[in-house]
Amino acid sequence: MYVIYKNMISKNFNFPMFIWAKKIFPWHRSLSGYGTYKTLEFLKSLNKELKLKFFKSGEKCFDWNIPKEWLIRDAFIQHESGKKFCEIKKNNLHIVQYSQPINLRLKLNDLKKKLFYLKRRPKSIPYVTSYYKKNWGFCLSYNQFKTLPKGNFKVFIDSELKNGKVHYGEIFLKGKSKKEILFSTYVCHPSMANNEVSGPVVSIALSKYLSKFSRKKLKYSYRFIFIPETIGAIAYINKNLKKLKKNVICGFNLSCVGDGRAYSIISSRLGNTLADKALAASLKDKKKVKIYSFLERGSDERQFCSPGVDLPFCGFSRSKYHEYPEYHTSDDNLNIISQKNLEESFDVLKNIIDVFEKDLHPKFRFICEPKMDKRNLYESLSKDRNYLNKSLRDRMDFLAYADGNHTFFDIVKKCNFNLSEGIFIYDLLKKNKLLI
Amino acid sequence: MYVIYKNMISKNFNFPMFIWAKKIFPWHRSLSGYGTYKTLEFLKSLNKELKLKFFKSGEKCFDWNIPKEWLIRDAFIQHESGKKFCEIKKNNLHIVQYSQPINLRLKLNDLKKKLFYLKRRPKSIPYVTSYYKKNWGFCLSYNQFKTLPKGNFKVFIDSELKNGKVHYGEIFLKGKSKKEILFSTYVCHPSMANNEVSGPVVSIALSKYLSKFSRKKLKYSYRFIFIPETIGAIAYINKNLKKLKKNVICGFNLSCVGDGRAYSIISSRLGNTLADKALAASLKDKKKVKIYSFLERGSDERQFCSPGVDLPFCGFSRSKYHEYPEYHTSDDNLNIISQKNLEESFDVLKNIIDVFEKDLHPKFRFICEPKMDKRNLYESLSKDRNYLNKSLRDRMDFLAYADGNHTFFDIVKKCNFNLSEGIFIYDLLKKNKLLI
Amino acid sequence: MYVIYKNMISKNFNFPMFIWAKKIFPWHRSLSGYGTYKTLEFLKSLNKELKLKFFKSGEKCFDWNIPKEWLIRDAFIQHESGKKFCEIKKNNLHIVQYSQPINLRLKLNDLKKKLFYLKRRPKSIPYVTSYYKKNWGFCLSYNQFKTLPKGNFKVFIDSELKNGKVHYGEIFLKGKSKKEILFSTYVCHPSMANNEVSGPVVSIALSKYLSKFSRKKLKYSYRFIFIPETIGAIAYINKNLKKLKKNVICGFNLSCVGDGRAYSIISSRLGNTLADKALAASLKDKKKVKIYSFLERGSDERQFCSPGVDLPFCGFSRSKYHEYPEYHTSDDNLNIISQKNLEESFDVLKNIIDVFEKDLHPKFRFICEPKMDKRNLYESLSKDRNYLNKSLRDRMDFLAYADGNHTFFDIVKKCNFNLSEGIFIYDLLKKNKLLI
């Protein structure tokens, strides 16, 4: 099949996420087709555990059907003068995704009905799709649109819509417990950086990070899915509903995790699930944290939280989709993401993974306070105000709530720690055998 | 017995509530007696389902006893000059309700001990009662009081207090479910408009509105009681406690629902019952909504919410009793209520009834989001910001919470809809077979 | 053994707490030893029910061991000139508590390493302890420290650390129910008034107050423990854990209850226990009430609330330890406490006891509102605004929540009463047989 990529695995945890992003950015992803498959193969080259899977066109998934496979090879508009416009070889946003094949001559006025542009953002090509209704069209910047010459145009789309496959990728890392943490992201967006090469690269990095734990030592199981948005989530749920409902104790949708302007939580449907708590804990003390209600959802949390599925599942983004100006335009390019931002997003989720792998329900070993001075965790001489020492108190506070009922995320919230502080204190207490 | 009224039923839902109010306003209602009976018969003429019932004087009801029946025929004060004052033929508030018969001559100074007036509102006749202690007295405006001439007065009260009946009316509309919604209002107030001809006329209109549903199609049962305040509620509960506790899932006391200055909820004892939620939903987006705690109760919610009864029951008023200046005076007259206000109050409760009859627990038919474009509820072409379209999102939001656990009132609260919006969206989704 | 004190019991409830405080203030209490024993014997002289008990040195209690018994007879520093400093015969704070015996000659510079003072409070002797690590030292005011002459010093400590006993006192008043209210306070602080002669004197007064109820009439059982802080609580819990967990429904740590600057609650670990509610109710309407979270704990609530023990237990203080400037210095003397303040603290807890003894779950006798006028609790004549009369409404409000599910403390909170008001209303309703 298409292409196999050279292994780009880094040996330590400094995953070159931006380099990966740059690599896959130009490919023409969509719900299906060449670019999506190529992307999945690339991700597989980074983590061999990734399984390439697919749904078949026409397959019924609840209220939906899997669409046809779309193979796009070329598309442009050519003026009678010979001048070409909207060449997807220059930018694959120029075509309305899932456009039918066409070879037609049109006058400018007729052509205009099939053109999409953004007056509010005149230099940007918008991103337009028509997956489920036969259609075709081109997208271009408003400035370009205004320069279209009068006369006749040739419209050419070399595409194919066939009963085929909608591919996706899945990594399952089996731990001691069947209970799993689910990470979902999508591989259906062409040539946009924050939305959505950031999600796949952070996800694959997290999956690689988990290899630092030997498989036998993983406490929980972890699942990463790289799917087309909406239909992929619906089809995946359709296929795995029972298993998901049984095993998933926490899940996240990763989308737009590459820019640096904010940290966003899209709350679960009922709020206050383990996923909501985990993200809130991990984002404590970050600047510009936005917590959106489920009413402001927009990505696959729509499916994973829907009634009847109802997983403990949140969306995690930096700038949430509609909230950043470049969203769904050609300006969502590599300039608005960075290695630093990707690493920050990675760390937010890595800390959550660390908590699961350390102990979701830390439990204090003793009854009554421990004797801290004999472990050099407190001063033996009680003098002026040493009880006020914050780091000494923090240890006692962690223990006070480590009753086996509070999750790690509850504990840090009660104690007003951020997750890194909580992990630091946990490690110290664990090392001193104060936790079971 | 007394009188039978011509049927004034309107054929559509524009119930002439103000005309009804005007009709019954002048009658001398009290806990019992001619005016109360006449009022009940009039209400029965509007809805033949109304049953005339009674409690017998002396009957024990928990800590209370049913008082005697009070028949008042005439009452006035006459100065030795022949001039009459406090004639109940002019205004039946002139007499202390439940005054004993009397025919006496008194000097002005002795008479004054039996006169009631309001210095703070010098033109108004106050409303005074002494149901449970033998007494008599007259009420008049302070201005009138000041003009009383010196000398001797004849005091004449042609009343009768006998072991008789305390009448009330009851309408029970049996639906498929035994679970019922209870509406309680009272018929014991003489010649005051907001408090209380408004409650009975809105209640009877609601009972008539329900006839638009054929009886076999009614999902829930509905009960309307027209009782004397306090003793009526206590006696009614005494007689029906077990049944009420078993069946009533939501109830409202209607009092002072004719003026236009506010919308008031008197919360149930524990708050947050279905009745509280229903009223809050129905009043969302109204101007001047006041939510009073149960500590600020004053009408029959006192009984229906009392420990041991504890129904999910709220008071609904426009201006709540003590909160409007004309309360319990002769200024509470037809000028402070209007057809428009009565209709607004009617609509608040009609919308609640509609929710019960549509579906208290709407349930989405599918798992995962439905495919809205194939039902023309969404655009097939995904372009700039159409996901932000509020009405499209509202439909999805309703479905997201229509999980069978949230009541309709919970759903609209979660989604930030007012009840009319919620009903509109429900109807659209139901028509499109998206709800079970 | 040491000394027996003359009985100082007052015949009424005006307990001379300040006089008691003054009596025990000078004694050299510590975790163990003469002064502590003497204090316990004095308390026993006030309430013969007090049992003198002890833990043995070396006994294991969870993560701790009972320390040695410390007998201190004399200690001072003497300059070669003959001048003495830090004489414990003048102030027993001059010695680091649990100092080992020593008889040594030192130069000033070497001596300085063993001296403690407070620059921020130059006139005060600080309170320093080293219970668990062999050590010795002296404390003095910074002003005194600065005047120490150059030259050689004799350091003399006539103390003894032996395997012996750590004494404590316990009063158990058995009521009809095994369910008990626990009061804990400590007897390990030398010569400081607010912290801690106030706690023992208020506790002993409360235990004496309970004798006004004949033992057969006590509804609940009451336990008072007079222990050394921290190790005493841990050892006591170690010995009694099962019983405590089974029986204690409410408990308080009394510390720093003699000054008049504030009222403080140190919340229980999970908040909202009966103890939290009881204190909040009893402190309603007091000026300067501070509610600290469990994170701001510092006394034996640390142990009684710890995971695995987890009693419904709060700390009660006036100015909480670290919050008042004289804390843990020689300025915490009899000048900062007073009989009035002690009585105020006493009353806070006495009111709580009264609630337990009256009825923790008051229950209204009837269904629906009672007929108040026949009991002269309401006016029979209903006229202008008498329903607004607060005291009439208060009675009804109390009854409305006296459903057997709400505790007395819940009821007063719901009704917005302070505890004295609640008790007054309760008594009135009880007298009128409106409560079961």
Side-chain angles (χ1 to χ4, degrees), chain A residues 331-349:
Chain A
D331 292 342
D332 184 348
N333 57 37
L334 292 165
N335 293 326
I336 72 160
I337 71 169
S338 73
Q339 176 67 15
K340 177 171 167 288
N341 298 336
L342 292 165
E343 280 176 10
E344 286 168 354
S345 298
F346 173 88
D347 282 344
V348 166
L349 297 158

Side-chain angles (χ1 to χ4, degrees), chain A residues 157-189:
Chain A
I157 301 177
D158 177 11
S159 71
E160 191 185 343
L161 279 160
K162 65 165 189 181
N163 283 324
K165 294 171 180 173
V166 167
H167 282 93
Y168 68 100
E170 183 168 13
I171 296 172
F172 181 62
L173 305 175
K174 194 168 181 304
K176 273 177 277 179
S177 168
K178 283 189 173 178
K179 296 297 167 198
E180 68 181 57
I181 293 88
L182 172 66
F183 295 86
S184 180
T185 190
Y186 34 94
V187 288
C188 59
H189 282 61

Side-chain angles (χ1 to χ4, degrees), chain C residues 423-435:
Chain C
I423 289 169
F424 179 86
I425 295 165
Y426 172 88
D427 286 344
L428 182 72
L429 295 171
K430 186 76 183 174
K431 193 178 126 201
N432 280 278
K433 300 194 176 10
L434 287 166
L435 294 166

Side-chain angles (χ1 to χ4, degrees), chain A residues 209-236:
Chain A
Y209 169 71
L210 279 159
S211 68
K212 87 158 203 176
F213 303 90
S214 89
R215 195 63 48 81
K216 277 188 191 160
K217 272 181 60 194
L218 268 186
K219 285 190 180 169
Y220 288 92
S221 299
Y222 294 84
R223 190 180 299 276
F224 295 82
I225 56 176
F226 304 83
I227 53 180
E229 201 182 5
T230 305
I231 186 64
I234 292 169
Y236 188 86

Side-chain angles (χ1 to χ4, degrees), chain C residues 9 14 25 29 37 43 72 99 156 160 198 237 258 278 311 327 345 351 364 369 374 402-403 406 409 412 419 425 435:
Chain C
I9 296 176
N14 298 320
F25 176 79
R29 281 169 294 281
Y37 193 86
L43 294 171
I72 176 78
S99 281
F156 178 74
E160 189 183 345
S198 68
I237 290 168
L311 300 182
Y327 175 73
S345 298
N351 279 342
F364 175 42
E369 288 187 345
K374 72 184 186 191
D403 57 5
H406 290 78
F409 306 116
V412 295
L419 205 49
I425 295 165
L435 294 166

Side-chain angles (χ1 to χ4, degrees), chain B residues 261-285:
Chain B
R261 289 167 285 198
Y263 289 92
S264 304
I265 299 174
I266 299 99
S267 301
S268 69
R269 191 170 68 97
L270 301 179
N272 216 29
T273 69
L274 194 52
D276 298 85
K277 290 179 184 182
L279 273 181
S282 199
L283 295 183
K284 184 175 184 303
D285 297 346

